[in-house]
């Protein structure tokens, strides 16, 4: 019996070696009735299974493994519970004080809970720190936020490279690509594209210019870094986009003259229409949509739209610091070099639809910026009201609005002018009143010829007017242009040139005659002080010193420029400084009450023609006796109509800490702070050129 059993074991071992353990097991299961012989084995199933069956089997195996792991965890938990129960039973086996048992168990549970919470808190803090570090690292490498309300499409990183290439546009995929294209530092780009509702420093110089028919136009001129970026976008991108043939504004080879030439000579009717708030109507969202239409991603389009737009701001003073607060959504600025081309691109559909409407009714159509002009030869079958209504409907549908107060119907008995060019006659012309003005200027200049001297300002005026005539119609105005050229070519007799009266070495010397200005009346900032603008008290603009860390005593000299509607110095007395008694507005005055140094300017007699008061004050370090009037060899001279007004010497500019400019503007008969700036010699020169003063 034992021998047979041993033989079987030997046979089984041989079969296992031959078939394999699993195959041998299945054969024996079939032999003993545990597996039907007509049912395929799992191995046969695996050999013939489909991809779906294989995936299903794998999922079942994973689920089975998951259940096994859960069961294992439960067993571990059960063992831990049994272990604790055993310890408690052993500890309290001889104890019948159930209250003590309850308190001890509650205490242990609380300690374990506190330990678990502390561990979870530590883990959460670690995860939060890791997320914060990851965010900081990501933020340092990419612009992730550009301001509330403007960052919605920064997640869109997909661009249409084929579309960009077909238009000849640069491929820009990342913010660093954009910085390289614009030629700015990456940090500078981050600064330029970030929007804040309240800022202490703005990217724009803001001012107003008078409109031709009254009122003021707000102009925002970008500062140098932003302006260079906008100019690069214009030259490297926007100028490559095709615009409507009917647009004549701000396009190379086109002008108001080319726009007028498109219209019918001597038409029966000219309709001039104006788009209301043209630039402010073009918002950040529209500019971003334009760049996306080019093929750029939402991310890049958002950054470029931030560079091309700005928001109106109002200057307010908060705790002695000037802040600029947002008063409008981001819109297209009128002073940007890129803005005109942006308007032409965004108006392509408008021009196409209006030209289609005009052609249907027999009109010719052109647009110069926000001025739209329609002309027609025969009005017999035209319903003018209906036509203008359809124009207004199209304009509204394209996101603009007609300024009805500026709509003009010009018939043949009127002077028919399109953007200043008259088209009544067979040839283009300019208004007769304008020609008469030029003839009068030439006549008066000819009267000065015998004296041997024609003022440069007179010749410059005649030169500009003649150039305009030449651009409109050189053949029609050839006689008057020739007369103007004779004036321009006239050489002044050196003996007849007026000699300027001898001036003191510095303008402050003449102002210091009545008191020892340099030694007694100059404001000295002592250590630990600085100058700040406190505010406007009634009709006085008052500047007060307050404390701040300063390394050495300082000296300050203020000057005031009174500017008219054109933001220019209008006459000789509109540049004032301490001790100048001739100013119609008083002068710069000082006080020293309660040891507080104060300088202010009287504005009680200022005429209404003065809209802006610009204060320039120079701060110097060192000896209080070291002042303008003690210096020689002026390097910067500021003149008004040939008369020297201010001097700045090399020593001034070397010892100078800063030259500060503060502007006050008139708003509803009140004076408000408009802007603050600072600079050195270049800043002084630039300021004076803006204000119409000569600098050499």
């Amino acid at each position: 019996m034992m021998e047979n059993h041993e033989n079987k074991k030997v046979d089984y071992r041989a079969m296992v070696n031959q078939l394999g353990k699993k195959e041998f097991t299945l054969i024996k299961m079939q032999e003993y009735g545990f597996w039907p012989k007509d049912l395929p084995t799992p191995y046969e199933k695996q050999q013939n299974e489909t991809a779906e069956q294989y995936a299903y089997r794998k999922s079942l195996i994973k689920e089975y493994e998951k259940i096994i792991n859960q069961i294992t965890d439960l067993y571990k938990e059960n063992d831990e519970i049994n272990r604790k129960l055993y310890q408690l039973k052993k500890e309290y086996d001889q104890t019948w004080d159930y209250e003590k048992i309850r308190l001890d168990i509650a205490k242990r549970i609380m300690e374990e809970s506190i330990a678990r919470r502390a561990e979870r808190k530590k883990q959460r803090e670690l995860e939060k720190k890791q997320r914060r570090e990851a965010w900081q690292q990501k933020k340092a490498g990419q612009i992730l936020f550009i301001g509330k309300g403007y960052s919605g499409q920064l997640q869109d990183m997909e661009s249409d490279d084929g579309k960009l290439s077909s238009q000849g546009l640069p491929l820009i995929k990342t913010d660093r690509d954009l910085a390289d294209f614009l030629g700015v530092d990456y940090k500078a780009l981050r600064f330029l594209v970030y929007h804040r509702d309240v800022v202490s420093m703005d990217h724009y110089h803001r001012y107003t210019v008078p409109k031709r028919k009254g009122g003021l136009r707000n102009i925002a001129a970008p500062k140098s870094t932003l302006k260079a970026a906008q100019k690069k976008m214009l030259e490297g991108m926007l100028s490559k986009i095709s615009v409507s043939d009917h647009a004549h504004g701000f396009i190379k080879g086109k002008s108001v003259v080319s726009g007028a030439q498109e219209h019918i000579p001597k038409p029966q009717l000219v309709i001039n229409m104006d788009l209301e708030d043209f630039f402010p109507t073009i918002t950040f969202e529209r500019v971003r949509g334009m760049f996306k239409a080019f093929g750029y991603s939402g991310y890049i389009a958002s950054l470029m739209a931030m560079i091309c737009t700005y928001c109106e701001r109002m200057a307010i003073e908060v705790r002695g610091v000037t802040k600029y607060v947002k008063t409008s959504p981001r819109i297209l600025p009128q002073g940007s070099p890129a803005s005109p081309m942006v308007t032409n691109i965004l108006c392509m559909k408008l021009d196409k639809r209006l030209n289609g409407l005009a052609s249907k009714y027999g009109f010719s159509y052109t647009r110069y910026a926000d001025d739209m002009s329609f002309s027609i030869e025969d009005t017999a079958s035209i319903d003018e009201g209906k036509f203008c209504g359809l124009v207004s409907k199209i304009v509204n549908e394209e996101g603009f609005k007609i300024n009805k107060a500026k709509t003009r119907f010009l018939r043949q008995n009127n002077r028919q002018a399109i953007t200043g060019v008259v088209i009544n006659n067979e040839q283009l012309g300019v208004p007769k009143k304008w020609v008469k003005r030029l003839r009068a200027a030439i006549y008066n200049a000819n009267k000065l010829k015998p004296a041997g001297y024609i003022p440069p300002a007179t010749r410059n005026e005649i030169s500009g007017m003649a150039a305009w005539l030449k651009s409109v119609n050189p053949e029609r105005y050839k006689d008057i242009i020739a007369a103007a050229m004779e004036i321009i070519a006239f050489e002044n007799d050196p003996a007849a040139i007026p000699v300027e009266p001898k001036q003191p070495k510095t303008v402050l010397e003449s102002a210091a005659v009545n008191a020892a200005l340099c030694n007694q009346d100059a404001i000295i900032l002592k250590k630990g002080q600085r100058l700040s603008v406190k505010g406007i008290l009634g009709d006085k603009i008052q500047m007060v010193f307050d404390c701040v860390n300063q390394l050495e005593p300082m000296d300050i000299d203020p000057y005031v420029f009174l500017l008219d509607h054109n933001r220019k110095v209008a006459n000789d007395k509109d540049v004032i400084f301490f001790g100048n008694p001739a100013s119609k507005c008083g002068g710069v005055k000082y006080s020293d009450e309660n040891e507080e140094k104060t300088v202010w300017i009287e504005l009680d007699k200022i005429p209404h023609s003065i809209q802006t008061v610009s204060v320039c004050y120079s701060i110097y370090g060192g000896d209080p006796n070291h002042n303008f009037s003690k210096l020689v060899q002026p390097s910067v001279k500021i003149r008004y109509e040939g008369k020297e007004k201010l001097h700045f010497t090399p020593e001034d500019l070397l010892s100078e800490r800063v030259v500060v400019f503060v502007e006050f503007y008139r708003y509803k008969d009140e004076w408000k702070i408009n802007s603050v700036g600072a600079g050195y010699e270049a800043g002084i020169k630039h300021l004076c050129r803006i204000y119409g003063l000569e600098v050499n």
Side-chain angles (χ1 to χ4, degrees), residues 427-462:
Q427 300 181 42
L428 298 182
V430 299
K432 292 181 179 179
K433 185 177 180 180
W434 199 91
V435 176
K436 288 181 180 180
R437 180 184 163 195
L438 176 56
R439 291 188 188 278
I442 294 173
Y443 174 78
N444 292 329
N446 283 324
K447 288 173 65 177
L448 297 174
K449 278 185 178 181
Y453 177 74
I454 300 177
T458 301
R459 288 198 288 183
N460 290 339
E461 180 186 13
I462 292 173

mmCIF file of all heavy atoms in Angstrom, residues 427-462:
data_model
loop_
_atom_site.group_PDB
_atom_site.id
_atom_site.type_symbol
_atom_site.label_atom_id
_atom_site.label_comp_id
_atom_site.label_asym_id
_atom_site.label_seq_id
_atom_site.Cartn_x
_atom_site.Cartn_y
_atom_site.Cartn_z
ATOM 1 N N GLN A 427 -12.265 121.900 -58.631
ATOM 2 C CA GLN A 427 -10.993 121.556 -57.991
ATOM 3 C C GLN A 427 -11.143 121.659 -56.477
ATOM 4 O O GLN A 427 -11.966 122.423 -55.965
ATOM 5 C CB GLN A 427 -9.890 122.521 -58.448
ATOM 6 C CG GLN A 427 -9.643 122.526 -59.942
ATOM 7 C CD GLN A 427 -8.535 123.491 -60.303
ATOM 8 O OE1 GLN A 427 -7.510 123.561 -59.625
ATOM 9 N NE2 GLN A 427 -8.721 124.239 -61.378
ATOM 10 N N LEU A 428 -10.319 120.891 -55.756
ATOM 11 C CA LEU A 428 -10.321 120.965 -54.302
ATOM 12 C C LEU A 428 -9.786 122.316 -53.851
ATOM 13 O O LEU A 428 -8.959 122.937 -54.535
ATOM 14 C CB LEU A 428 -9.449 119.861 -53.695
ATOM 15 C CG LEU A 428 -9.866 118.415 -53.962
ATOM 16 C CD1 LEU A 428 -8.922 117.455 -53.259
ATOM 17 C CD2 LEU A 428 -11.302 118.160 -53.523
ATOM 18 N N GLY A 429 -10.255 122.780 -52.709
ATOM 19 C CA GLY A 429 -9.795 124.055 -52.192
ATOM 20 C C GLY A 429 -9.895 124.105 -50.681
ATOM 21 O O GLY A 429 -10.245 123.123 -50.014
ATOM 22 N N VAL A 430 -9.558 125.282 -50.143
ATOM 23 C CA VAL A 430 -9.664 125.525 -48.709
ATOM 24 C C VAL A 430 -10.614 126.696 -48.521
ATOM 25 O O VAL A 430 -10.887 127.445 -49.471
ATOM 26 C CB VAL A 430 -8.280 125.836 -48.082
ATOM 27 C CG1 VAL A 430 -7.336 124.673 -48.253
ATOM 28 C CG2 VAL A 430 -7.678 127.097 -48.689
ATOM 29 N N PRO A 431 -11.151 126.908 -47.314
ATOM 30 C CA PRO A 431 -12.079 128.031 -47.098
ATOM 31 C C PRO A 431 -11.459 129.372 -47.464
ATOM 32 O O PRO A 431 -10.275 129.625 -47.213
ATOM 33 C CB PRO A 431 -12.373 127.938 -45.593
ATOM 34 C CG PRO A 431 -12.170 126.500 -45.252
ATOM 35 C CD PRO A 431 -11.055 126.035 -46.123
ATOM 36 N N LYS A 432 -12.265 130.256 -48.091
ATOM 37 C CA LYS A 432 -11.770 131.563 -48.534
ATOM 38 C C LYS A 432 -11.243 132.390 -47.373
ATOM 39 O O LYS A 432 -10.278 133.138 -47.524
ATOM 40 C CB LYS A 432 -12.897 132.318 -49.247
ATOM 41 C CG LYS A 432 -13.310 131.705 -50.577
ATOM 42 C CD LYS A 432 -14.414 132.505 -51.237
ATOM 43 C CE LYS A 432 -14.807 131.892 -52.578
ATOM 44 N NZ LYS A 432 -15.918 132.646 -53.228
ATOM 45 N N LYS A 433 -11.897 132.272 -46.218
ATOM 46 C CA LYS A 433 -11.461 133.021 -45.051
ATOM 47 C C LYS A 433 -10.031 132.645 -44.674
ATOM 48 O O LYS A 433 -9.226 133.483 -44.263
ATOM 49 C CB LYS A 433 -12.424 132.739 -43.889
ATOM 50 C CG LYS A 433 -12.146 133.545 -42.647
ATOM 51 C CD LYS A 433 -13.207 133.243 -41.584
ATOM 52 C CE LYS A 433 -12.930 134.052 -40.320
ATOM 53 N NZ LYS A 433 -13.941 133.777 -39.265
ATOM 54 N N TRP A 434 -9.704 131.368 -44.849
ATOM 55 C CA TRP A 434 -8.368 130.875 -44.508
ATOM 56 C C TRP A 434 -7.335 131.447 -45.489
ATOM 57 O O TRP A 434 -6.247 131.858 -45.096
ATOM 58 C CB TRP A 434 -8.389 129.347 -44.559
ATOM 59 C CG TRP A 434 -7.269 128.694 -43.831
ATOM 60 C CD1 TRP A 434 -7.257 128.301 -42.543
ATOM 61 C CD2 TRP A 434 -5.998 128.351 -44.375
ATOM 62 N NE1 TRP A 434 -6.058 127.727 -42.237
ATOM 63 C CE2 TRP A 434 -5.255 127.752 -43.346
ATOM 64 C CE3 TRP A 434 -5.400 128.495 -45.630
ATOM 65 C CZ2 TRP A 434 -3.967 127.293 -43.528
ATOM 66 C CZ3 TRP A 434 -4.116 128.043 -45.815
ATOM 67 C CH2 TRP A 434 -3.404 127.451 -44.769
ATOM 68 N N VAL A 435 -7.711 131.503 -46.782
ATOM 69 C CA VAL A 435 -6.811 132.063 -47.793
ATOM 70 C C VAL A 435 -6.587 133.552 -47.541
ATOM 71 O O VAL A 435 -5.466 134.062 -47.665
ATOM 72 C CB VAL A 435 -7.377 131.824 -49.207
ATOM 73 C CG1 VAL A 435 -6.492 132.483 -50.252
ATOM 74 C CG2 VAL A 435 -7.512 130.331 -49.488
ATOM 75 N N LYS A 436 -7.667 134.272 -47.169
ATOM 76 C CA LYS A 436 -7.534 135.700 -46.874
ATOM 77 C C LYS A 436 -6.586 135.932 -45.703
ATOM 78 O O LYS A 436 -5.814 136.898 -45.703
ATOM 79 C CB LYS A 436 -8.905 136.288 -46.561
ATOM 80 C CG LYS A 436 -9.816 136.435 -47.773
ATOM 81 C CD LYS A 436 -11.150 137.036 -47.380
ATOM 82 C CE LYS A 436 -12.056 137.191 -48.602
ATOM 83 N NZ LYS A 436 -13.368 137.774 -48.216
ATOM 84 N N ARG A 437 -6.654 135.059 -44.739
ATOM 85 C CA ARG A 437 -5.762 135.196 -43.589
ATOM 86 C C ARG A 437 -4.302 135.054 -44.012
ATOM 87 O O ARG A 437 -3.419 135.788 -43.559
ATOM 88 C CB ARG A 437 -6.120 134.141 -42.540
ATOM 89 C CG ARG A 437 -5.255 134.177 -41.305
ATOM 90 C CD ARG A 437 -5.635 133.035 -40.382
ATOM 91 N NE ARG A 437 -4.593 132.798 -39.396
ATOM 92 C CZ ARG A 437 -4.504 131.714 -38.660
ATOM 93 N NH1 ARG A 437 -5.398 130.745 -38.786
ATOM 94 N NH2 ARG A 437 -3.528 131.572 -37.787
ATOM 95 N N LEU A 438 -4.033 134.090 -44.906
ATOM 96 C CA LEU A 438 -2.666 133.906 -45.386
ATOM 97 C C LEU A 438 -2.218 135.116 -46.210
ATOM 98 O O LEU A 438 -1.081 135.587 -46.072
ATOM 99 C CB LEU A 438 -2.566 132.617 -46.209
ATOM 100 C CG LEU A 438 -1.203 132.334 -46.855
ATOM 101 C CD1 LEU A 438 -0.089 132.310 -45.809
ATOM 102 C CD2 LEU A 438 -1.241 131.014 -47.627
ATOM 103 N N ARG A 439 -3.110 135.643 -47.059
ATOM 104 C CA ARG A 439 -2.751 136.817 -47.868
ATOM 105 C C ARG A 439 -2.418 138.004 -46.966
ATOM 106 O O ARG A 439 -1.482 138.764 -47.230
ATOM 107 C CB ARG A 439 -3.905 137.181 -48.807
ATOM 108 C CG ARG A 439 -4.143 136.175 -49.919
ATOM 109 C CD ARG A 439 -5.158 136.718 -50.915
ATOM 110 N NE ARG A 439 -5.545 135.721 -51.882
ATOM 111 C CZ ARG A 439 -4.841 135.416 -52.971
ATOM 112 N NH1 ARG A 439 -3.701 136.046 -53.205
ATOM 113 N NH2 ARG A 439 -5.269 134.491 -53.814
ATOM 114 N N ALA A 440 -3.189 138.161 -45.895
ATOM 115 C CA ALA A 440 -2.930 139.263 -44.967
ATOM 116 C C ALA A 440 -1.581 139.090 -44.282
ATOM 117 O O ALA A 440 -0.830 140.071 -44.109
ATOM 118 C CB ALA A 440 -4.049 139.338 -43.931
ATOM 119 N N ALA A 441 -1.245 137.836 -43.913
ATOM 120 C CA ALA A 441 0.042 137.579 -43.258
ATOM 121 C C ALA A 441 1.194 137.891 -44.218
ATOM 122 O O ALA A 441 2.217 138.479 -43.821
ATOM 123 C CB ALA A 441 0.108 136.130 -42.785
ATOM 124 N N ILE A 442 1.030 137.521 -45.514
ATOM 125 C CA ILE A 442 2.071 137.806 -46.511
ATOM 126 C C ILE A 442 2.198 139.306 -46.733
ATOM 127 O O ILE A 442 3.308 139.852 -46.828
ATOM 128 C CB ILE A 442 1.754 137.074 -47.834
ATOM 129 C CG1 ILE A 442 1.844 135.546 -47.626
ATOM 130 C CG2 ILE A 442 2.702 137.518 -48.939
ATOM 131 C CD1 ILE A 442 1.380 134.739 -48.825
ATOM 132 N N TYR A 443 1.053 140.005 -46.786
ATOM 133 C CA TYR A 443 1.061 141.455 -46.988
ATOM 134 C C TYR A 443 1.808 142.151 -45.849
ATOM 135 O O TYR A 443 2.663 143.020 -46.082
ATOM 136 C CB TYR A 443 -0.377 141.949 -47.085
ATOM 137 C CG TYR A 443 -0.499 143.455 -47.160
ATOM 138 C CD1 TYR A 443 -0.255 144.140 -48.345
ATOM 139 C CD2 TYR A 443 -0.852 144.194 -46.028
ATOM 140 C CE1 TYR A 443 -0.355 145.519 -48.415
ATOM 141 C CE2 TYR A 443 -0.961 145.575 -46.086
ATOM 142 C CZ TYR A 443 -0.712 146.230 -47.280
ATOM 143 O OH TYR A 443 -0.804 147.605 -47.338
ATOM 144 N N ASN A 444 1.496 141.755 -44.612
ATOM 145 C CA ASN A 444 2.156 142.375 -43.456
ATOM 146 C C ASN A 444 3.642 142.045 -43.421
ATOM 147 O O ASN A 444 4.469 142.886 -43.028
ATOM 148 C CB ASN A 444 1.485 141.917 -42.163
ATOM 149 C CG ASN A 444 0.076 142.462 -42.018
ATOM 150 O OD1 ASN A 444 -0.215 143.565 -42.495
ATOM 151 N ND2 ASN A 444 -0.803 141.697 -41.388
ATOM 152 N N ALA A 445 3.992 140.827 -43.841
ATOM 153 C CA ALA A 445 5.406 140.453 -43.870
ATOM 154 C C ALA A 445 6.160 141.260 -44.922
ATOM 155 O O ALA A 445 7.309 141.677 -44.696
ATOM 156 C CB ALA A 445 5.538 138.950 -44.144
ATOM 157 N N ASN A 446 5.542 141.492 -46.065
ATOM 158 C CA ASN A 446 6.188 142.298 -47.113
ATOM 159 C C ASN A 446 6.431 143.739 -46.653
ATOM 160 O O ASN A 446 7.397 144.387 -47.058
ATOM 161 C CB ASN A 446 5.344 142.286 -48.379
ATOM 162 C CG ASN A 446 5.492 140.984 -49.153
ATOM 163 O OD1 ASN A 446 6.591 140.409 -49.180
ATOM 164 N ND2 ASN A 446 4.425 140.515 -49.768
ATOM 165 N N LYS A 447 5.552 144.246 -45.789
ATOM 166 C CA LYS A 447 5.728 145.596 -45.262
ATOM 167 C C LYS A 447 6.958 145.678 -44.357
ATOM 168 O O LYS A 447 7.514 146.767 -44.160
ATOM 169 C CB LYS A 447 4.478 146.017 -44.480
ATOM 170 C CG LYS A 447 3.278 146.301 -45.386
ATOM 171 C CD LYS A 447 2.018 146.542 -44.578
ATOM 172 C CE LYS A 447 2.144 147.798 -43.733
ATOM 173 N NZ LYS A 447 0.894 148.098 -42.983
ATOM 174 N N LEU A 448 7.376 144.519 -43.796
ATOM 175 C CA LEU A 448 8.538 144.508 -42.913
ATOM 176 C C LEU A 448 9.856 144.369 -43.677
ATOM 177 O O LEU A 448 10.927 144.577 -43.103
ATOM 178 C CB LEU A 448 8.409 143.359 -41.903
ATOM 179 C CG LEU A 448 7.230 143.424 -40.931
ATOM 180 C CD1 LEU A 448 7.174 142.142 -40.100
ATOM 181 C CD2 LEU A 448 7.346 144.640 -40.015
ATOM 182 N N LYS A 449 9.763 143.999 -44.946
ATOM 183 C CA LYS A 449 10.983 143.762 -45.727
ATOM 184 C C LYS A 449 11.901 144.988 -45.795
ATOM 185 O O LYS A 449 13.116 144.855 -45.627
ATOM 186 C CB LYS A 449 10.620 143.310 -47.150
ATOM 187 C CG LYS A 449 10.305 141.837 -47.274
ATOM 188 C CD LYS A 449 10.088 141.487 -48.756
ATOM 189 C CE LYS A 449 9.825 140.013 -48.939
ATOM 190 N NZ LYS A 449 9.647 139.664 -50.365
ATOM 191 N N PRO A 450 11.379 146.187 -46.037
ATOM 192 C CA PRO A 450 12.294 147.336 -46.130
ATOM 193 C C PRO A 450 13.124 147.542 -44.866
ATOM 194 O O PRO A 450 14.251 148.058 -44.948
ATOM 195 C CB PRO A 450 11.342 148.512 -46.376
ATOM 196 C CG PRO A 450 10.154 147.908 -47.026
ATOM 197 C CD PRO A 450 9.994 146.564 -46.393
ATOM 198 N N ALA A 451 12.583 147.161 -43.703
ATOM 199 C CA ALA A 451 13.343 147.306 -42.453
ATOM 200 C C ALA A 451 14.424 146.240 -42.332
ATOM 201 O O ALA A 451 15.291 146.331 -41.461
ATOM 202 C CB ALA A 451 12.406 147.237 -41.254
ATOM 203 N N GLY A 452 14.363 145.210 -43.200
ATOM 204 C CA GLY A 452 15.401 144.182 -43.208
ATOM 205 C C GLY A 452 15.205 143.067 -42.193
ATOM 206 O O GLY A 452 16.096 142.241 -41.992
ATOM 207 N N TYR A 453 14.011 143.007 -41.566
ATOM 208 C CA TYR A 453 13.829 141.974 -40.536
ATOM 209 C C TYR A 453 12.374 141.510 -40.508
ATOM 210 O O TYR A 453 11.448 142.315 -40.355
ATOM 211 C CB TYR A 453 14.216 142.509 -39.165
ATOM 212 C CG TYR A 453 13.984 141.517 -38.037
ATOM 213 C CD1 TYR A 453 14.817 140.417 -37.862
ATOM 214 C CD2 TYR A 453 12.919 141.682 -37.140
ATOM 215 C CE1 TYR A 453 14.598 139.521 -36.842
ATOM 216 C CE2 TYR A 453 12.699 140.785 -36.119
ATOM 217 C CZ TYR A 453 13.548 139.698 -35.965
ATOM 218 O OH TYR A 453 13.337 138.790 -34.955
ATOM 219 N N ILE A 454 12.171 140.187 -40.695
ATOM 220 C CA ILE A 454 10.863 139.546 -40.530
ATOM 221 C C ILE A 454 10.985 138.569 -39.363
ATOM 222 O O ILE A 454 11.832 137.662 -39.403
ATOM 223 C CB ILE A 454 10.422 138.796 -41.800
ATOM 224 C CG1 ILE A 454 10.312 139.779 -42.979
ATOM 225 C CG2 ILE A 454 9.100 138.088 -41.579
ATOM 226 C CD1 ILE A 454 9.956 139.092 -44.290
ATOM 227 N N PRO A 455 10.174 138.695 -38.317
ATOM 228 C CA PRO A 455 10.303 137.808 -37.151
ATOM 229 C C PRO A 455 10.166 136.339 -37.535
ATOM 230 O O PRO A 455 9.355 135.983 -38.409
ATOM 231 C CB PRO A 455 9.148 138.250 -36.245
ATOM 232 C CG PRO A 455 8.859 139.651 -36.655
ATOM 233 C CD PRO A 455 9.133 139.704 -38.131
ATOM 234 N N PRO A 456 10.951 135.461 -36.919
ATOM 235 C CA PRO A 456 10.857 134.019 -37.219
ATOM 236 C C PRO A 456 9.460 133.464 -37.011
ATOM 237 O O PRO A 456 9.025 132.590 -37.766
ATOM 238 C CB PRO A 456 11.858 133.397 -36.246
ATOM 239 C CG PRO A 456 12.822 134.502 -35.927
ATOM 240 C CD PRO A 456 12.029 135.757 -35.965
ATOM 241 N N ALA A 457 8.741 133.953 -35.999
ATOM 242 C CA ALA A 457 7.393 133.442 -35.748
ATOM 243 C C ALA A 457 6.475 133.720 -36.932
ATOM 244 O O ALA A 457 5.649 132.885 -37.307
ATOM 245 C CB ALA A 457 6.828 134.079 -34.473
ATOM 246 N N THR A 458 6.619 134.893 -37.553
ATOM 247 C CA THR A 458 5.794 135.244 -38.716
ATOM 248 C C THR A 458 6.095 134.333 -39.896
ATOM 249 O O THR A 458 5.193 133.838 -40.579
ATOM 250 C CB THR A 458 6.043 136.708 -39.115
ATOM 251 O OG1 THR A 458 5.730 137.553 -38.006
ATOM 252 C CG2 THR A 458 5.209 137.105 -40.311
ATOM 253 N N ARG A 459 7.369 134.098 -40.139
ATOM 254 C CA ARG A 459 7.750 133.232 -41.265
ATOM 255 C C ARG A 459 7.302 131.791 -41.032
ATOM 256 O O ARG A 459 6.884 131.101 -41.965
ATOM 257 C CB ARG A 459 9.270 133.309 -41.481
ATOM 258 C CG ARG A 459 9.681 134.646 -42.085
ATOM 259 C CD ARG A 459 11.055 134.586 -42.699
ATOM 260 N NE ARG A 459 12.097 134.511 -41.700
ATOM 261 C CZ ARG A 459 13.397 134.514 -41.978
ATOM 262 N NH1 ARG A 459 13.796 134.562 -43.232
ATOM 263 N NH2 ARG A 459 14.295 134.474 -41.014
ATOM 264 N N ASN A 460 7.390 131.340 -39.794
ATOM 265 C CA ASN A 460 6.952 129.972 -39.483
ATOM 266 C C ASN A 460 5.455 129.809 -39.719
ATOM 267 O O ASN A 460 4.996 128.781 -40.238
ATOM 268 C CB ASN A 460 7.288 129.627 -38.028
ATOM 269 C CG ASN A 460 8.776 129.462 -37.811
ATOM 270 O OD1 ASN A 460 9.529 129.219 -38.754
ATOM 271 N ND2 ASN A 460 9.220 129.592 -36.570
ATOM 272 N N GLU A 461 4.679 130.831 -39.345
ATOM 273 C CA GLU A 461 3.226 130.766 -39.563
ATOM 274 C C GLU A 461 2.922 130.702 -41.054
ATOM 275 O O GLU A 461 2.104 129.888 -41.510
ATOM 276 C CB GLU A 461 2.556 131.977 -38.929
ATOM 277 C CG GLU A 461 1.047 131.993 -39.120
ATOM 278 C CD GLU A 461 0.412 133.262 -38.615
ATOM 279 O OE1 GLU A 461 1.166 134.230 -38.343
ATOM 280 O OE2 GLU A 461 -0.829 133.315 -38.509
ATOM 281 N N ILE A 462 3.561 131.564 -41.848
ATOM 282 C CA ILE A 462 3.328 131.584 -43.296
ATOM 283 C C ILE A 462 3.768 130.267 -43.930
ATOM 284 O O ILE A 462 3.103 129.732 -44.825
ATOM 285 C CB ILE A 462 4.068 132.782 -43.925
ATOM 286 C CG1 ILE A 462 3.425 134.084 -43.456
ATOM 287 C CG2 ILE A 462 4.071 132.688 -45.447
ATOM 288 C CD1 ILE A 462 4.183 135.332 -43.880
#
